[in-house]
Amino acid sequence: MADIRRLPNPVAEVWDWQLHGACRGESTSLFFHPDGERGPARARRQAAAKAVCGRCPVLESCLKHALSVREPYGVWGGMSEEERTRLIAAEPAPIAAGV
């Protein structure tokens, strides 16, 4: 389950980018895998979802959102959950103040 503490406040301006997503009107099953989906079927579905992302005017905002809230599921901003996990894992750890 996503950690909702990272989600932005419910202010329209913060979420407005979603109104312009190329994914609006598409089936969520294109972006979120069914239980047990693996291998070529998953790769095909993700490629189709990423094709939608490739023509999206808010791709950058979508990816920024997914990374900032550490969205655990689905294709967001042209990246799969596995790709986002690897990208987040590769980020250097923040240095604590006063250390």
Side-chain angles (χ1 to χ4, degrees):
M1 178 173 285
D3 182 356
I4 63 172
R5 292 175 295 175
R6 292 187 184 118
L7 294 175
N9 293 325
V11 178
E13 292 79 25
V14 175
W15 297 97
D16 190 51
W17 62 269
Q18 292 183 359
L19 299 174
H20 308 288
C23 59
R24 285 187 63 86
E26 296 282 346
S27 172
T28 57
S29 65
L30 181 61
F31 299 92
F32 298 93
H33 66 83
D35 288 340
E37 181 186 61
R38 300 280 185 267
R42 188 171 186 148
R44 282 191 301 274
R45 183 193 47 75
Q46 287 179 341
K50 290 176 182 183
V52 173
C53 296
R55 60 180 168 77
C56 186
V58 295
L59 179 120
E60 188 175 314
S61 297
C62 182
L63 181 57
K64 181 179 175 183
H65 164 76
L67 292 172
S68 69
V69 302
R70 300 191 184 226
E71 180 59 55
Y73 303 109
V75 174
W76 289 77
M79 293 185 83
S80 68
E81 52 207 54
E82 298 87 7
E83 292 166 331
R84 290 191 311 276
T85 298
R86 284 193 302 270
L87 185 63
I88 290 168
E91 292 177 356
I95 298 172
V99 175

